[in-house]
Amino acid sequence: MGKGVVLGGQAGVVGHIQIGDYVMVAAQSGVHKDIAPGQVVAGSPHKPHRDWLRTEACISKLPEMRNTMTALLKRVEILEARLQARDGKGD
């Protein structure tokens, strides 16, 4: 463990890994591999903090995104069927 490392509460570190100087690990994060000096990480498994924030922002939108994806897939199937019928192909 390097100098000036900050581990948030309930953060877990597994294995024989190296954590560089001045690394910050957010609370409830899981560190599973080496971290270069000066990094700020979050999540489990850990990732750069900015990436973790983007991921967390999307989680609440997942149900709506799934509904949109399902609707789009149905529309694509309908359009493909129309194209096949128009071209006289009956796969």
Side-chain angles (χ1 to χ4, degrees):
M1 185 131 5
K3 296 183 282 185
V5 171
V6 176
L7 293 176
Q10 296 181 337
V13 179
V14 298
H16 299 282
I17 60 174
Q18 293 187 7
I19 299 177
D21 293 343
Y22 306 106
V23 166
M24 295 176 68
V25 179
Q28 296 184 338
S29 295
V31 178
H32 63 288
K33 61 182 180 180
D34 294 349
I35 303 176
Q39 301 294 310
V40 179
V41 299
S44 186
H46 78 275
K47 60 177 81 173
H49 187 254
R50 184 172 296 229
D51 294 344
W52 177 80
L53 285 173
R54 287 186 182 129
T55 301
E56 289 298 308
C58 290
I59 288 176
S60 64
K61 298 175 186 173
L62 285 176
E64 179 184 340
M65 292 168 71
R66 181 176 184 216
N67 292 338
T68 301
M69 180 69 72
T70 301
L72 288 171
L73 287 172
K74 286 180 184 177
R75 289 178 66 188
V76 168
E77 287 176 12
I78 292 168
L79 290 171
E80 286 177 342
R82 286 182 185 171
L83 284 173
Q84 286 178 356
R86 186 189 76 183
D87 294 340
K89 298 177 184 176
D91 291 9

